[in-house]
Amino acid sequence: METVGEAVAELILTLLACALLACLALIVYLSWSFSPRLTVSGAGLLSLFLAHGAWRTFRDPAKGRGRRGFAAVTTAGFTLTAATGVFLLFYGAGCSCL
């Protein structure tokens, strides 16, 4: 029974990863067909946002100061993106839908 449960859970996670990959590809396709310049600009801004979040995540905070405001948002965005990337690395690699 445990093996069946693990197989079903693996199947559900793989399907979720395939659906996430399909949605990301659809977003890029629709964005590019709407405006290529805006797509490249948005990708650049998203890269800056994630780079700031990574920098704030791995940098030692100043004494007596926690993460506030924009730094907290970029750190959370970077963490969420990194977790999604790890999820897709483990479960999206076996997706034969692409």
Side-chain angles (χ1 to χ4, degrees):
M1 191 64 166
E2 185 176 327
T3 306
V4 173
E6 288 178 10
V8 169
E10 185 80 22
L11 179 68
I12 290 172
L13 288 173
T14 302
L15 288 174
L16 214 99
C18 285
L20 181 61
L21 281 173
C23 286
L24 289 173
L26 180 65
I27 288 169
V28 169
Y29 173 75
L30 292 175
S31 173
W32 187 263
S33 66
F34 176 70
S35 173
R37 288 183 192 158
L38 198 58
T39 302
V40 172
S41 300
L45 286 174
L46 181 64
S47 297
L48 286 174
F49 177 82
L50 293 176
H52 184 265
W55 179 63
R56 294 294 291 186
T57 298
F58 296 115
R59 182 183 141 217
D60 290 335
K63 279 190 170 183
R65 296 186 69 182
R67 287 178 171 72
R68 296 185 188 142
F70 186 67
V73 171
T74 59
T75 301
F78 170 73
T79 304
L80 180 66
T81 303
T84 302
V86 169
F87 170 72
L88 288 175
L89 180 68
F90 286 136
Y91 293 104
C95 184
S96 59
C97 59
L98 298 178

